Amino acid sequence: MLDTVVLTLDRRQFEVLQPERFSPSARGLLVPPYYPLGARGNFACVQNPTQVELQAGRYLPRLTLGKRKIPSGFALTLRIEFSAPKLVFGNNFDELESHDFCKALSVLHAGLGRMGIAVSKDALRQARVSAIHYSKNIAFTDYTTCSMVMSELDLIDLDSRLDLSRTDYRNNGHAIRYHANSFEVTFYDKLKDLDKARYSKKRAIEQDDGVQLEMFGKRSSFPKQLEVLGMEARLGTRAKITSLLKRVGASAEPIFEALFNADIAKSVLGHFWANVQARLPLTYRSDRLRPEDLLSALAYSGKGTVRIGKLLQQLGCAVLVGSVGIRGASAALSPHCSPRSWQRYKRELRRLPVHEAGAFRALKQVDQALSRFQPLRMKSFHAAEGDSVAGRSRSKRASGACRNT
């Protein structure tokens, strides 16, 4: 439902009790002699969880204390970035629900206290959200693989639909990121990403994976065929959050308590997934239909009114897209036809029949998981009974009432 959240507090909402915990010390932002703000008119001190803390199962937020020039003087803000499920569960494979807000709030409040920050729960509840990542984990146990989904996404013409500026394919196809200035849509193989983090945190999609590196230490405790696909919609600015809330019909304010909502998460992810579905008819692959079978399907779809030259043109486009994807086909055809002609060919391809092979059915499973939007719990796949000791102690600490303190 919800993964990373970035909250921003102004100087009236918090107090720094231990400035030396920041790097550099935050004392130069709080008392004279002050740090020079430099040419850009700002200065920042950071406090991040250490690898020792993460490996010991102690997950804490990332803090940035910043001071900047404003027309009326200076502004001091505290930026709090954290993974909500890692706070509550110690991992981001298990998923939160709306009623878990009090748990998340209590654990966040306690964690900030350990980091030397005094702040009330009410201030955190009403804190402005500067960025938010809504997410859904989809588990496959029927020998469907994340690579099946990735291979299909590789063929879809998403760039024009989502108005994206860049598409990244990372870790040998284990992650696909559609990137724009104010948001990202990311699909990735969570188990393989965790494997990458064991070798180098720089190679992983996720931050602070040290807290969950041993989660699958006993891989034999889980089904051999288990794979977990992660989908995230990463909204990077308050303006994008506000505009997207309006687009999906949510009337919530962009504050922590209001956005900690499973219905909003489902709507946001569904909005982006609908754009994916709108491009599915463009995907063709050689393992779905043989060229002669595809030709017959095209002729049947044309109801006998399409000339053979047109059928061969459609067949050629479909086979080419199935072989190299929509971007590859565009690059291959660009020396031979105008962009306008290629757009016409794509419109025709969208009207052609689609054969539902195994890889296409993998996307159907993603669609069904996003429609049901049931929270994933890894213990339901685990052969051993009960939660881990760390998980039980963390949940116990988080089970207090959601009080205004």
Side-chain angles (χ1 to χ4, degrees):
M1 179 200 83
L2 180 68
D3 196 343
T4 300
V5 186
V6 179
L7 307 179
T8 300
L9 303 177
D10 63 43
R11 65 188 311 166
R12 297 168 299 178
Q13 297 174 297
F14 67 93
E15 182 181 359
V16 180
L17 301 179
Q18 301 176 44
E20 288 75 18
R21 293 180 66 98
F22 286 83
S23 178
S25 170
R27 191 170 297 279
L29 294 182
L30 303 171
V31 297
Y34 296 112
Y35 292 132
L37 298 187
R40 295 188 176 183
N42 62 73
F43 195 95
C45 303
V46 300
Q47 183 183 167
N48 295 330
T50 66
Q51 286 302 310
V52 173
E53 288 172 327
L54 293 173
Q55 290 171 2
R58 295 193 299 270
Y59 179 81
L60 294 170
R62 291 173 170 263
L63 305 182
T64 303
L65 185 66
K67 190 175 185 179
R68 72 182 190 279
K69 291 181 181 179
I70 58 175
S72 59
F74 300 95
L76 186 70
T77 58
L78 180 65
R79 186 179 190 268
I80 307 169
E81 179 179 351
F82 59 94
S83 167
K86 286 178 183 177
L87 272 180
V88 176
F89 301 123
N91 70 81
N92 68 348
F93 284 82
D94 292 320
E95 294 180 322
L96 295 163
E97 300 179 72
S98 297
H99 61 73
D100 291 318
F101 175 74
C102 289
K103 294 181 181 180
L105 182 64
S106 295
V107 177
L108 176 61
H109 182 260
L112 291 172
R114 290 194 295 272
M115 300 176 81
I117 302 297
V119 59
S120 70
K121 287 185 179 180
D122 194 52
L124 291 174
R125 178 187 287 106
Q126 301 297 322
R128 293 180 293 125
V129 176
S130 301
I132 193 166
H133 299 180
Y134 286 117
S135 63
K136 186 73 188 79
N137 298 331
I138 299 104
F140 302 119
T141 57
D142 59 351
Y143 294 96
T144 296
T145 66
C146 294
S147 61
M148 289 181 180
V149 178
M150 299 297 176
S151 64
E152 292 304 291
L153 294 175
D154 188 20
L155 298 178
I156 296 173
D157 183 27
L158 281 183
D159 291 13
S160 61
R161 184 75 179 183
L162 292 177
D163 191 24
L164 303 170
S165 59
R166 186 171 71 251
T167 305
D168 294 338
Y169 298 86
R170 300 182 56 183
N171 296 341
N172 297 320
H174 300 151
I176 297 178
R177 183 181 68 159
Y178 303 101
H179 176 80
N181 290 333
S182 60
F183 72 96
E184 292 178 1
V185 180
T186 302
F187 298 86
Y188 65 106
D189 185 329
K190 291 182 71 75
L191 293 178
K192 284 190 169 61
D193 192 63
L194 200 57
D195 289 338
K196 296 289 183 181
R198 291 190 178 98
Y199 293 100
S200 172
K201 61 181 181 180
K202 294 181 179 180
R203 299 177 63 186
I205 299 294
E206 286 288 338
Q207 287 187 330
D208 300 332
D209 261 338
V211 75
Q212 60 185 12
L213 286 181
E214 301 306 317
M215 184 175 179
F216 294 92
K218 295 182 179 179
R219 191 64 176 87
S220 59
S221 298
F222 294 89
K224 181 180 179 180
Q225 68 272 26
L226 175 66
E227 298 211 9
V228 182
L229 176 76
M231 176 187 177
E232 293 187 15
R234 303 178 173 184
L235 312 181
T237 67
R238 283 179 59 80
K240 182 62 181 180
I241 294 170
T242 301
S243 66
L244 193 55
L245 288 176
K246 292 180 180 178
R247 184 170 296 183
V248 301
S251 58
E253 294 182 66
I255 60 175
F256 185 32
E257 183 177 30
L259 297 188
F260 198 104
N261 185 288
D263 291 333
I264 293 178
K266 180 179 180 180
S267 297
V268 169
L269 292 169
H271 166 76
F272 288 110
W273 183 247
N275 288 309
V276 174
Q277 289 182 302
R279 286 301 187 262
L280 291 183
L282 277 178
T283 61
Y284 283 86
R285 305 196 70 185
S286 59
D287 61 353
R288 291 185 180 168
L289 290 176
R290 295 177 300 174
E292 59 269 31
D293 295 330
L294 179 55
L295 180 62
S296 297
L298 294 173
Y300 179 81
S301 177
K303 299 180 180 179
T305 61
V306 182
R307 295 184 178 182
I308 185 62
K310 190 67 172 180
L311 286 176
L312 291 175
Q313 179 192 93
Q314 293 174 344
L315 176 64
C317 283
V319 171
L320 181 61
V321 169
S323 176
V324 297
I326 201 69
R327 288 170 297 278
S330 178
L333 291 174
S334 59
H336 310 294
C337 69
S338 66
R340 185 175 181 180
S341 296
W342 175 233
Q343 292 299 322
R344 185 177 71 253
Y345 295 151
K346 289 200 295 183
R347 286 196 299 271
E348 293 176 356
L349 281 175
R350 292 189 194 106
R351 294 193 290 267
L352 301 184
V354 177
H355 177 68
E356 294 194 11
F360 189 84
R361 288 195 296 272
L363 292 185
K364 286 289 189 180
Q365 290 189 56
V366 176
D367 181 51
Q368 292 167 2
L370 291 173
S371 297
R372 293 192 300 265
F373 219 72
Q374 296 296 318
L376 189 70
R377 292 287 188 271
M378 295 309 297
K379 66 181 181 182
S380 64
F381 301 98
H382 203 292
E385 294 183 0
D387 298 323
S388 67
V389 173
R392 288 197 301 268
S393 61
R394 185 172 292 106
S395 297
K396 186 176 181 179
R397 292 196 304 269
S399 63
C402 196
R403 296 185 296 267
N404 297 338
T405 57

